[in-house]
Amino acid sequence: MCSFVVEMKNKKILLVGGAVLASEVLWYIYKRVHNVWSNYINTRKVLEVQIPKSKHDISEVMFFTNESILCRTHFTTEMTCPKNNCPVRYLRHIESYMNNAKQSLDVCMYMFTCHSLSNAIVNAHKRGVLVRIIMDRQMGSNDAAQTALFYNNGIAIRLICQDGLMHHKFMIVDNDLVITGSTNWTMSAFFGNFDHIVVTNQHSLVKPFVVEFDRLWKTFSKSQEN
């Protein structure tokens, strides 16, 4: 009888010991799995931070017509225009691209007399954005042109004088976005002419403009800056 009791106690001890050992093993396995999973989650978070999301594609077209003059009355107000092709809305949109420039603004414009856009360029220059401007010499010498404003604010500007006109009309923002079209940056163009502007950040389209601007800038050296 005593031996039976002892045997039962030993079995009980073995069972308890086995249960304890099993629980320790399970706890060890749990901790290992938990640590591995935590490391995986943390790694995913790091990767999500390090891998930037693809930028939003920009493809916009703006049309100006002879009816655009009807919107000129609210150019200096905060009035909201119901027209989808309101030139004031277009102008504010172009200004917003200038205001969001972080590194550079390269402007190549045949005729430039629009005060709101020239002020946006000056403001960009004042906050440290590198601004370069190329204009046709004859148009840049026009009394209505913004050439003097740019000079007075220390902005680099080159006036091209050649047999042919410097007839380009485009601006590059941060070498990443181009605004181009048939439109001179004048109030008569924005509020009366049949013109258009295209905005895109498609690399295959932006890059040729960047190359062409740099070519013109180097071709017409500092001797043209007067």
Side-chain angles (χ1 to χ4, degrees):
M1 183 68 179
C2 289
S3 61
F4 175 76
V5 172
V6 171
E7 184 178 352
M8 291 299 294
K9 286 183 178 180
N10 290 338
K11 287 183 177 180
K12 188 175 181 180
I13 292 172
L14 288 173
L15 287 173
V16 172
V20 172
L21 179 61
S23 65
E24 289 294 328
V25 171
L26 290 174
W27 176 246
Y28 174 78
I29 293 173
Y30 167 77
K31 288 196 297 183
R32 288 296 302 272
V33 172
H34 177 74
N35 290 338
V36 170
W37 179 252
S38 297
N39 290 336
Y40 170 75
I41 294 298
N42 291 334
T43 301
R44 285 298 302 270
K45 288 181 179 179
V46 171
L47 289 175
E48 287 173 1
V49 172
Q50 291 178 344
I51 301 175
K53 295 181 180 179
S54 58
K55 65 182 180 182
H56 177 64
D57 290 335
I58 298 174
S59 297
E60 301 169 353
V61 179
M62 308 174 188
F63 286 109
F64 302 87
T65 72
N66 59 337
E67 294 182 357
S68 297
I69 194 171
L70 300 176
C71 295
R72 188 162 182 169
T73 55
H74 61 265
F75 176 63
T76 56
T77 69
E78 298 298 325
M79 175 182 172
T80 301
C81 182
K83 295 174 60 177
N84 291 329
N85 62 338
C86 173
V88 176
R89 182 183 293 114
Y90 288 157
L91 270 172
R92 298 292 179 255
H93 196 46
I94 295 171
E95 287 176 29
S96 71
Y97 284 121
M98 296 178 175
N99 294 336
N100 288 322
K102 299 294 189 297
Q103 299 174 351
S104 63
L105 283 177
D106 289 333
V107 182
C108 199
M109 190 60 52
Y110 176 63
M111 193 168 186
F112 195 158
T113 62
C114 180
H115 290 275
S116 62
L117 295 183
S118 61
N119 288 335
I121 288 176
V122 170
N123 290 336
H125 171 72
K126 288 181 177 179
R127 67 174 184 270
V129 174
L130 175 63
V131 178
R132 299 184 297 176
I133 299 175
I134 296 174
M135 294 178 65
D136 182 83
R137 179 176 291 276
Q138 184 176 356
M139 291 298 102
S141 301
N142 188 296
D143 290 339
Q146 299 299 293
T147 313
L149 176 68
F150 298 141
Y151 277 138
N152 293 338
N153 281 277
I155 294 175
I157 177 171
R158 295 184 180 178
L159 302 177
I160 296 178
C161 181
Q162 295 289 300
D163 293 335
L165 299 176
M166 201 306 295
H167 209 238
H168 285 311
K169 305 168 187 74
F170 67 86
M171 176 177 69
I172 307 164
V173 182
D174 292 335
N175 284 346
D176 186 59
L177 178 140
V178 67
I179 300 173
T180 187
S182 64
T183 313
N184 281 303
W185 286 3
T186 67
M187 296 301 283
S188 59
F190 292 129
F191 297 97
N193 291 352
F194 288 92
D195 272 309
H196 72 274
I197 287 177
V198 175
V199 183
T200 181
N201 64 349
Q202 186 175 329
H203 179 71
S204 61
L205 296 178
V206 175
K207 185 177 179 180
F209 282 93
V210 173
V211 172
E212 176 63 9
F213 187 94
D214 286 340
R215 185 190 70 81
L216 289 173
W217 190 259
K218 292 174 183 176
T219 300
F220 301 98
S221 62
K222 289 187 177 182
S223 61
Q224 299 283 347
E225 296 183 6
N226 52 58

